[in-house]
Amino acid sequence: MNKIQILKPDDWHLHLRDAEALKRTVTDVASHIHRAIIMPNLVPPVTTVSEAQAYRDRILAHKNKTSFSPLMTLYLTDNTTVDEIKAAGDSPFVVACKLYPAGATTNSDSGVTDVTKLDKVFEAMTEAGLILCIHGEVTDNDVDIFDREKVFIERHLKPITDRHPNLKIVLEHITTQDAVDFVLESSDNIAATITAHHLILNRNDLLSGGIKPDYYCLPILKRQAHQKRLQNIVLESHPKFFFGSDSAPHGQHKKYNACGCAGIYTAPVMLCLLAEFFEQHQSLSHFEPFVSRYGAHFYNLPLSDESITLTKESWSVPSKLPFGDDEIVPFFAGKQLSWRICDV
Ligand code: NCD
Ligand code: ZN
């Protein structure tokens, strides 16, 4: 097959950053992504509806003539109030709240220190029909970084789902067999997003033959058996598992550093990579549901009425892109991709 047309995809987990960076990040998705769940981990974080509205306006200023629609999220803290949740529920553009355990990842210092104290907030979210997006990793220093997702599920997520069975939850950027099993065993209110990079890479890619800062992200890449489980569930096509890129840009100076930032900038290549992934596994027909259908269904939103076309045409990914006053190395920099998105 040399051409595929799919409904315009959604990205259910995207970092756009702010200010100057928006020029790069919004342009790199706006023409081929219909809607995206916008992560609120700015500095300072987006914790109120009015901050989300102002951030949304700054994003929209860069969408040009596209129909790109940012779906906003509020960053939960120890001080999030029920009134703010109610206001979010009333707002037409806030669709979810994001739970970062404090210290779990980039810009999560203001995150939640004790999830058991959020019961009132979760009740209000259930009432308001807001979705809870979770970065599912514990932060304890005595838990190995490769086990943090599994331990979070046992220690925190299972109790949250037991206490709040009607709350809709997305366990984000899952990386383990344990997460796949948990989501499959849970009610229909529990779903998961999967990134392109966790499908394509495992921890050998990050660490074997030299450390690759461009492959460092959180949750960290896991062993191959976990990667295979993610691949299988996506290739089988299951409505509880949909695409969230977690495209997370950091300028080159912040990545190539003695204390390099976590985050991989996949936005310019993610759909082409996924097309290649599905094709290599003789499953191209499962590409569209993963990127354009299952997430919308879970979020109770209509499917896109636009489409995009990809053609089989080799191109090389630029080695660097301008990024504010720095540069950024996109995922797959300098490598060849076999699918290209046609201009619209
Ligand atoms: C994200 C970022 O840079 O904001 N980094 C990452 O490695 N994925 C934060 C996150 O989603 O964990
Ligand atoms: Zn993220």
Side-chain angles (χ1 to χ4, degrees):
M1 199 185 291
N2 290 324
K3 211 174 224 197
I4 33 174
Q5 192 181 36
I6 57 170
L7 293 179
K8 201 167 185 186
D10 299 307
D11 184 345
W12 300 101
H13 180 130
L14 178 67
H15 299 268
L16 294 176
R17 313 299 188 209
D18 205 353
E20 269 290 281
L22 292 174
K23 198 166 139 194
R24 161 98 274 134
T25 57
V26 180
T27 309
D28 282 344
V29 291
S31 59
H32 52 266
I33 292 291
H34 176 214
R35 291 166 296 217
I37 288 278
I38 308 303
M39 285 297 120
N41 62 332
L42 305 181
V43 189
V46 179
T47 57
T48 65
V49 175
S50 63
E51 286 162 2
Q53 176 157 24
Y55 183 32
R56 180 173 181 269
D57 290 343
R58 297 196 294 279
I59 294 167
L60 289 174
H62 293 272
K63 82 180 185 78
N64 292 321
K65 294 197 164 60
T66 68
S67 58
F68 176 65
S69 171
L71 306 175
M72 307 310 287
T73 59
L74 295 194
Y75 183 117
L76 297 177
T77 72
D78 290 346
N79 303 315
T80 303
T81 63
V82 165
D83 283 349
E84 200 62 50
I85 298 298
K86 286 184 180 155
D90 291 341
S91 131
F93 52 80
V94 178
V95 302
C97 297
K98 173 73 188 229
L99 169 61
Y100 287 106
T105 186
T106 309
N107 303 339
S108 63
D109 295 351
S110 319
V112 172
T113 56
D114 182 355
V115 287
T116 63
K117 300 218 171 103
L118 284 182
D119 280 336
K120 288 267 171 300
V121 165
F122 293 158
E123 277 164 28
M125 285 178 61
T126 309
E127 185 80 4
L130 291 166
I131 290 191
L132 175 63
C133 295
I134 300 186
H135 183 111
E137 289 192 288
V138 295
T139 54
D140 316 45
N141 241 337
D142 59 353
V143 178
D144 190 276
I145 189 167
F146 293 100
D147 296 332
R148 289 180 178 185
E149 183 172 280
K150 177 183 162 63
V151 174
F152 183 90
I153 292 168
E154 289 158 4
R155 223 183 255 177
H156 301 296
L157 184 54
K158 180 78 176 69
I160 293 173
T161 59
D162 289 342
R163 286 202 303 279
H164 302 278
N166 297 322
L167 179 60
K168 288 186 99 172
I169 298 176
V170 179
L171 182 57
E172 301 192 282
H173 41 48
I174 60 165
T175 58
T176 56
Q177 296 167 334
D178 312 270
V180 173
D181 290 339
F182 176 79
V183 171
L184 286 174
E185 286 157 13
S186 301
S187 81
D188 287 347
N189 285 333
I190 315 298
T193 55
I194 298 183
T195 74
H197 50 278
H198 287 104
L199 288 173
I200 287 159
L201 304 175
N202 63 55
R203 67 191 195 182
N204 279 357
D205 298 299
L206 170 69
L207 296 169
S208 174
I211 190 161
K212 325 285 188 316
D214 292 322
Y215 293 170
Y216 174 56
C217 63
L218 289 169
I220 197 157
L221 296 166
K222 302 297 190 298
R223 62 168 67 244
Q224 192 183 38
H226 290 295
Q227 178 199 10
K228 286 247 150 73
R229 184 82 171 106
L230 299 181
Q231 291 182 340
N232 288 341
I233 196 73
V234 168
L235 292 169
E236 278 167 25
S237 193
H238 193 293
K240 280 179 161 230
F241 299 86
F242 42 85
F243 180 54
S245 73
D246 197 12
S247 176
H250 293 280
Q252 208 183 341
H253 287 96
K254 293 199 169 153
K255 286 292 281 178
Y256 301 3
N257 184 298
C259 186
C261 288
I264 304 184
Y265 190 50
T266 48
V269 295
M270 58 200 190
L271 292 176
C272 302
L273 272 173
L274 286 172
E276 196 159 313
F277 167 75
F278 282 99
E279 186 191 35
Q280 278 167 358
H281 292 87
Q282 291 81 43
S283 302
L284 253 186
S285 63
H286 292 164
F287 178 31
E288 184 189 68
F290 181 62
V291 295
S292 314
R293 289 180 183 271
Y294 293 154
H297 188 248
F298 187 80
Y299 273 80
N300 229 347
L301 292 167
L303 298 177
S304 175
D305 51 15
E306 292 175 60
S307 59
I308 61 163
T309 303
L310 292 96
T311 53
K312 198 77 179 281
E313 191 187 324
S314 173
W315 61 288
S316 25
V317 180
S319 55
K320 280 177 198 174
L321 296 165
F323 185 60
D325 54 11
D326 199 348
E327 290 182 312
I328 191 161
V329 178
F331 190 52
F332 248 58
K335 298 193 180 147
Q336 293 284 119
L337 282 172
S338 56
W339 287 93
R340 179 194 277 281
I341 302 174
C342 297
D343 290 335
V344 267

